[in-house]
Amino acid sequence: GIATRQENWQEVVEITERVIRLSPLSFPSAYFLNSLACYRLQDTDAAERSARETLRLDPQHRLPGAFQLLGAILLQRGDSSSAAEQFRTYLKIAPKAKDAERVKEQLSALEALGTTAEARRLTH
């Protein structure tokens, strides 16, 4: 927690990797924090793996931010369709989250871009 608040992302990666090694199925939050730290360190492959593992280990969606984070990772990779899907799921699960309005704006922008791209494809 302290390393996260201090945004010491390398330390967060090291700590969460230790937790995951010791008990790989017990702490979905370790995968979530690992994903966030890897994302902040621009290691999108590791960030995506950890985000997906968070979602796999958290079927009750106690960590809805994993959907938003995975959406951000996918968006950074240029997969706007999959990113939009993750954002929609996040908003469905956590409609009153602090960042819900910002995620709605991102989703609207992605949907507008998708509509524009589809219109261009149909006219060519």
Side-chain angles (χ1 to χ4, degrees):
I2 293 170
T4 302
R5 283 189 293 282
Q6 293 175 345
E7 298 184 7
N8 186 342
W9 302 119
Q10 188 57 49
E11 185 175 348
V12 173
V13 168
E14 292 166 9
I15 292 168
T16 55
E17 284 178 351
R18 270 187 264 143
V19 170
I20 290 166
R21 270 194 310 275
L22 291 171
S23 188
L25 302 176
S26 300
F27 300 102
S29 60
Y31 287 97
F32 176 72
L33 290 174
N34 182 271
S35 179
L36 176 62
C38 289
Y39 177 72
R40 296 296 178 109
L41 292 171
Q42 300 178 6
D43 184 351
T44 54
D45 290 337
E48 182 177 354
R49 278 192 305 274
S50 287
R52 290 189 185 281
E53 192 63 14
T54 302
L55 296 175
R56 187 182 77 76
L57 294 173
D58 182 30
Q60 298 84 17
H61 308 305
R62 292 186 184 125
L63 299 165
F67 289 100
Q68 191 275 336
L69 181 55
L70 182 56
I73 293 163
L74 294 170
L75 185 59
Q76 185 175 12
R77 291 185 159 197
D79 188 350
S80 56
S81 174
S82 296
E85 180 182 325
Q86 296 302 320
F87 292 152
R88 278 187 211 97
T89 303
Y90 174 68
L91 291 169
K92 181 179 175 185
I93 293 168
K96 296 182 182 191
K98 290 180 184 178
D99 63 348
E101 286 305 313
R102 182 180 54 79
V103 174
K104 285 178 189 174
E105 290 171 9
Q106 282 182 302
L107 182 56
S108 293
L110 285 174
E111 289 170 340
L113 285 173
T115 302
T116 303
E118 180 63 17
R120 267 190 251 137
R121 188 186 68 77
L122 291 173
T123 59
H124 284 51

